[in-house]
Amino acid sequence: QVQLVESGGGLVQAGGSLRLACVASESISNIYAMGWYRQAPGKQRELVAGATNTGTTRYADSVKGRFTIFRDHAKNTVFLQMNNLKPEDTAVYHCNFALSNYEPIDDFWGQGTQVTVSS
C-alpha cells in the first residue's frame, strides 16, 4: 500500500514561514487530487489546500494569499509553502489522496507533522 510521509513542521514565530513536504512511496502523477489537511485540538479536520494533477488548486479562505501548494511528480512529493504564519495556523498537518471534491481517502493517512506558531 502506498505510504505518505509528512515532514517540515516545527515551531515558528508569527509572520514566519515553513515548507511542508509529503513524500509518497509510489508515483503520484496519476493521482488526480491530493490535499493538505490540518486538525487543531478540539477542532474538526479541514482542507487547507488541494491540487490536482492537471494544475488546478483550491485553498481554504483562511490561507489564501499565504499558502501555496505544489506537486513535484518527479519527486513524488507534494509541498505546502506557508508564509506569514499566524497562531491560528497551529495544528497537525497531514497530506492525503482525495476524491475529486477533496474528500480525503481514509486508508492513507500518515503520521502528520506538527506546526506550532507562537504569537
Side-chain angles (χ1 to χ4, degrees):
Q1 177 167 310
V2 176
Q3 292 186 328
L4 300 171
V5 179
E6 302 96 337
S7 64
L11 173 63
V12 64
Q13 288 188 330
S17 298
L18 287 172
R19 175 178 287 194
L20 306 184
C22 170
V23 181
S25 58
E26 296 180 12
S27 173
I28 62 170
S29 60
N30 291 326
I31 303 297
Y32 177 68
M34 294 190 70
W36 279 98
Y37 303 82
R38 68 186 179 188
Q39 187 164 20
K43 294 187 177 181
Q44 286 191 328
R45 184 176 57 220
E46 62 173 344
L47 173 70
V48 176
T52 70
N53 60 358
T54 60
T56 58
T57 56
R58 177 186 293 183
Y59 296 93
D61 288 344
S62 60
V63 307
K64 283 180 181 177
R66 299 188 298 121
F67 290 12
T68 303
I69 184 172
F70 55 101
R71 297 170 56 156
D72 186 335
H73 292 163
K75 297 180 179 179
N76 296 335
T77 301
V78 183
F79 295 98
L80 184 68
Q81 177 67 41
M82 306 188 296
N83 298 328
N84 190 23
L85 283 160
K86 302 177 180 182
E88 51 264 42
D89 295 318
T90 295
V92 178
Y93 285 70
H94 295 264
C95 73
N96 205 343
F97 304 117
L99 303 177
S100 58
N101 62 353
Y102 289 108
E103 182 71 23
I105 300 174
D106 284 338
D107 292 344
F108 300 99
W109 292 113
Q111 83 288 352
T113 187
Q114 175 71 46
V115 172
T116 303
V117 184
S118 63
S119 57

